[in-house]
Amino acid sequence: MKLSYLYILMLLFGAGIFTSCQKEINGLSDGSIDPVADQKPKVGTIWTYRYTTYQVLGSVIDVKVIYHKAKSEETIGSEKWLKIVDVDADTTVYYLNVKTNGLYQYTNNNSYLFCKAPAVINETYNTFNDGSTEDFTVKGVNDTLATGIGNIPANYYEGVKNSFLIDRIWYNKNAWIVHRVIWRKKPDPSSAYYRYSTMYIDNIVY
């Protein structure tokens, strides 16, 4: 009887250690996390991305680590925007701001919806991005995406210009842009596009 009691205690103790370790490694006991769920990007936040560029025929040109930083908060058009810069190049990447229906960017002297959230699959919206108008379609909602900061929920969007796929973007409400693939037009006389770059989050420090 005494041995049985000790055996039960050992089983309970072992289960407790396993659960504790699992939460410590993954953030949640089901193996997924929402990165620091009570935090949002703010001035000083730094994103670490793996950035890959490709040749027209598809082979890799370069793989490197890049850092984006929320350098400052600026008031534009009576709204506050986070100025996101590429740290090494010291160039502005975006002006971003979260509103009730998603992530916006300030570009072309106006505020444009970038990543709609909340959203429903196959929902569409027209916006302005990378110098011209772009049509986005919501392709995934709260899908689990494996990243350098864990398995996180993300919405997935596809952007089209002139009937060509230009963008694939994954957005998480706490880390914003967590994965992005960009296409560029092939040299003339071709009218086709090729995968130009991928950007994949490895870390975020708030």
Side-chain angles (χ1 to χ4, degrees):
M1 183 73 177
K2 192 173 182 180
L3 287 175
S4 297
Y5 179 70
L6 288 173
Y7 179 70
I8 292 171
L9 283 177
M10 289 175 67
L11 285 177
L12 290 173
F13 180 72
I17 290 176
F18 176 78
T19 301
S20 174
C21 289
Q22 188 182 42
K23 287 184 178 180
E24 190 173 310
I25 293 169
N26 298 324
L28 296 175
S29 60
D30 65 358
S32 64
I33 65 169
D34 197 353
V36 196
D38 59 342
Q39 296 215 50
K40 305 290 183 185
K42 60 184 182 296
V43 174
T45 295
I46 297 176
W47 294 260
T48 302
Y49 295 103
R50 274 175 287 152
Y51 183 73
T52 305
T53 51
Y54 302 87
Q55 294 180 341
V56 173
L57 296 179
S59 59
V60 172
I61 296 175
D62 187 32
V63 180
K64 63 182 179 180
V65 174
I66 64 172
Y67 302 93
H68 287 177
K69 181 177 182 178
K71 186 175 183 178
S72 60
E73 184 178 72
E74 302 189 9
T75 300
I76 308 173
S78 75
E79 294 181 311
K80 292 183 177 180
W81 299 83
L82 278 182
K83 180 180 179 180
I84 314 298
V85 301
D86 182 304
V87 174
D88 292 333
D90 196 26
T91 55
T92 301
V93 182
Y94 319 100
Y95 285 94
L96 298 178
N97 177 19
V98 173
K99 302 185 184 183
T100 56
N101 64 331
L103 181 69
Y104 277 71
Q105 65 171 325
Y106 190 88
T107 183
N108 194 39
N109 298 315
N110 213 333
S111 170
Y112 290 94
L113 181 60
F114 196 21
C115 299
K116 193 175 191 311
V120 296
I121 292 176
N122 292 325
E123 190 171 5
T124 61
Y125 56 98
N126 178 265
T127 189
F128 193 93
N129 182 45
D130 285 340
S132 60
T133 57
E134 186 167 346
D135 294 311
F136 275 99
T137 301
V138 181
K139 292 293 187 177
V141 174
N142 285 329
D143 293 335
T144 299
L145 179 69
T147 73
I149 57 175
N151 299 324
I152 61 173
N155 288 0
Y156 165 47
Y157 312 84
E158 289 185 353
V160 172
K161 295 184 180 183
N162 299 319
S163 300
F164 290 100
L165 179 66
I166 296 294
D167 274 304
R168 297 174 70 199
I169 298 174
W170 285 260
Y171 166 78
N172 172 274
K173 66 179 181 178
N174 300 110
W176 294 1
I177 306 300
V178 292
H179 184 31
R180 186 176 184 184
V181 184
I182 294 176
W183 276 260
R184 290 288 181 261
K185 185 180 177 300
K186 290 183 177 181
D188 292 335
S190 175
S191 60
Y193 283 67
Y194 72 102
R195 181 178 59 172
Y196 172 76
S197 68
T198 61
M199 189 176 74
Y200 192 80
I201 194 165
D202 265 341
N203 194 31
I204 182 169
V205 178
Y206 293 92

